[in-house]
Amino acid sequence: MASPACAAGGDARSSDALSIITDLTTDVGQRLGGTEREAAARDWAVARLKELGFANVRSEPFPITGWVRGEEKAAITAPVPQKLAVTALGYSGATPPQGVNGELVYFPTLDALKLAPDGSLRGKIAFVDHAMKAAQDGGGYGPFGEARRQGPTIAAAKGASALLIRSIGTDHTRSPHTGVTRIPPQGEPLPSGAVSSPDADLIARLAAKDKPLTASVTLTPRFTGQVMSGNVIAELPGRDPKLAPILVACHLDSWDLGQGAIDDASGCGIITAAALEASKSGQLARTIRVLWAGTEEMGGFGGQAYAKAHGAEPHAVVMESDTGADRVFRFLFRMAPQDKPLAERIGAELAKMGIYTGDGAPEGGEDVGYIAEKQKLAVIDLNQDMIRYFDWHHTPDDTLDKIDPAQLQQNVDAWAAVLKILGSYTGTINPAG
Ligand SMILES: [Zn+2]
């Protein structure tokens, strides 16, 4: 049987990335932040990074609020009984063991929920819909995702006994998408779940009938108190210790429903293989520091812990890979005006691979965003094609078979080209402001 590495043409660069993704998803599997599986992933990561020849490999623990999934069940009870495919949102509160029942009140958007009078949802279950569409830059996730992030706190303020949302995704399967919601500043977290897209369509059709619509929801996740997570850090030391390092990041944790292949084993595979590739023909002038962050999914805690622990150390520029394994289509940068020629050199190299320089601001990401903000660092984004990404993101279908080896290799090539230019550059890379 052909191994995935053979499918990629046996290329050393791609096989480093693919073997990281394959082994992490196979030998560790799901690795929810703060759980024993995430700790196992850290042990695995430390061993693998040492084996690959990285120096200063270490695990840096930090505490988080733990949470684990329980029973999850939901159904329409009237006008016709129908089961719903549901999953709890991360940091959702719990219903009683027997669940809650009540009128299901349909809101086409989060804005419509915001307009509901206070107390008007007492004893009722709120449902928030949205109309996110697939896009190459994944641009809908920020705004439409607010139904998940803010919805529970708003529905709780209106008196709801539970909240259901349409999964924040773009597929048409019955795999619901989890994802974190905010722990409310006061009061108990509301039991909150996402239903699959076809189930949300059903709810929308039933709600349009003007007949009594009721549902039952049972979600019994648990908060597990303060538990330990951690970052894994490793370096390819540069020749000149006076040059500030390049920080490249992914996140090691995943949601608990699938294998965390596209989110974000692929990011760890890409940045790590690219760092090795960039320094393959000789030690670079500048150190590349690799950060495999812990507990990104539950709220960017690894990135926050990194900024706290390393906020006084110099950094030259930050980059993050956390949007799957499909091809890079665009290069975005935020660099000081005097460093524009360096950015243009990178852009010229990437153009050879069909990657264009965009004129928007890079987002950086949760794992590098806190240190970038603290130190006003230069940020580079290699934006990946996200047309397929939100079909599988945070679902049971985030599995190894979704990785396309050819597109994965294109990522490694693009990242390696950028790291080679930055790593060989002996001038100062200035804060971007
Ligand atoms: Zn991610």
Side-chain angles (χ1 to χ4, degrees):
M1 195 185 99
S3 73
C6 293
D11 185 282
R13 292 160 294 177
S14 172
S15 66
D16 274 341
L18 201 54
S19 70
I20 287 169
I21 302 166
T22 304
D23 295 347
L24 183 54
T25 54
T26 307
D27 298 337
V28 178
Q30 73 81 13
R31 43 204 183 275
L32 184 68
T35 65
E36 176 275 326
R37 295 319 298 156
E38 197 202 28
R42 277 196 298 285
D43 291 345
W44 178 90
V46 166
R48 176 57 61 98
L49 287 161
K50 283 182 179 166
E51 211 177 285
L52 287 168
F54 282 82
N56 307 326
V57 182
R58 72 248 191 221
S59 182
E60 295 186 342
F62 56 85
I64 63 155
T65 298
W67 176 92
V68 292
R69 197 172 296 285
E71 192 188 352
E72 15 202 46
K73 256 185 354 196
I76 299 292
T77 47
V80 285
Q82 300 232 39
K83 278 190 184 167
L84 301 172
V86 69
T87 195
L89 304 183
Y91 287 146
S92 163
T95 64
Q98 71 278 13
V100 294
N101 301 280
E103 185 185 339
L104 184 62
V105 185
Y106 177 85
F107 295 95
T109 61
L110 182 65
D111 288 327
L113 174 69
K114 287 178 186 167
L115 292 173
D118 282 354
S120 63
L121 295 177
R122 208 155 304 286
K124 299 175 183 175
I125 300 164
F127 177 82
V128 177
D129 209 341
H130 66 82
M132 178 177 167
K133 298 286 180 281
Q136 189 182 34
D137 68 357
Y141 182 61
F144 291 111
E146 290 301 324
R148 188 190 79 212
R149 299 179 204 108
Q150 293 186 42
T153 303
I154 297 169
K158 313 287 182 186
S161 58
L163 170 75
L164 295 176
I165 62 167
R166 178 187 288 269
S167 282
I168 308 302
T170 52
D171 60 301
H172 302 280
T173 74
R174 293 195 78 195
S175 288
H177 299 234
T178 190
V180 80
T181 188
R182 293 197 183 120
I183 299 179
Q186 63 240 345
E188 286 294 303
L190 190 69
S192 307
V195 300
S196 78
S197 164
D199 291 289
D201 292 343
L202 170 71
I203 292 170
R205 293 197 303 277
L206 290 171
K209 286 184 186 296
D210 265 341
K211 283 189 191 156
L213 176 58
T214 60
S216 64
V217 177
T218 304
L219 298 170
T220 60
R222 283 184 303 118
F223 282 77
T224 56
Q226 183 178 298
V227 294
M228 294 310 288
S229 179
N231 290 328
V232 176
I233 294 171
E235 288 173 347
L236 294 176
R239 284 193 313 273
D240 185 350
K242 289 193 296 297
L243 293 174
I246 304 158
L247 178 67
V248 295
C250 62
H251 66 87
L252 182 57
D253 68 306
S254 75
W255 281 107
D256 52 342
L257 300 178
Q259 301 164 359
I262 62 164
D263 189 13
D264 183 29
S266 54
C268 294
I270 290 164
I271 65 165
T272 307
L276 291 168
E277 172 65 18
S279 46
K280 199 175 65 177
S281 46
Q283 190 183 20
L284 295 170
R286 197 181 287 276
T287 296
I288 301 177
R289 179 180 286 179
V290 169
L291 165 63
W292 291 17
T295 315
E296 187 271 349
E297 295 292 4
M298 306 292 280
F301 296 118
Q304 291 168 39
Y306 181 87
K308 203 169 158 193
H310 300 277
E313 298 166 21
H315 295 82
V317 51
V318 297
M319 299 175 67
E320 174 173 323
S321 177
D322 184 17
T323 44
D326 281 353
R327 67 180 291 275
V328 175
F329 70 95
R330 184 175 62 195
F331 159 56
L332 296 179
F333 65 89
R334 185 173 74 226
M335 293 179 91
Q338 62 270 41
D339 293 331
K340 208 169 170 226
L342 179 60
E344 284 167 354
R345 263 180 63 202
I346 294 170
E349 196 59 31
L350 292 171
K352 294 178 196 165
M353 304 178 195
I355 299 163
Y356 67 89
T357 301
D359 51 14
E363 286 188 7
E366 285 283 304
D367 304 317
V368 298
Y370 296 95
I371 188 73
E373 176 58 31
K374 194 169 189 170
Q375 301 188 338
K376 308 293 171 209
L377 297 171
V379 180
I380 288 176
D381 272 5
L382 294 181
N383 296 144
Q384 294 170 277
D385 187 330
M386 293 173 81
I387 284 284
R388 310 191 299 164
Y389 185 68
F390 290 108
D391 288 354
W392 305 313
H393 179 252
H394 298 180
T395 75
D397 291 312
D398 178 358
T399 49
L400 182 62
D401 54 292
K402 309 305 184 302
I403 307 293
D404 171 355
Q407 296 199 62
L408 176 67
Q409 183 172 332
Q410 188 260 9
N411 272 273
V412 176
D413 289 345
W415 272 77
V418 176
L419 291 180
K420 192 151 191 186
I421 293 171
L422 292 171
S424 312
Y425 183 69
T426 54
T428 302
I429 299 176
N430 297 282

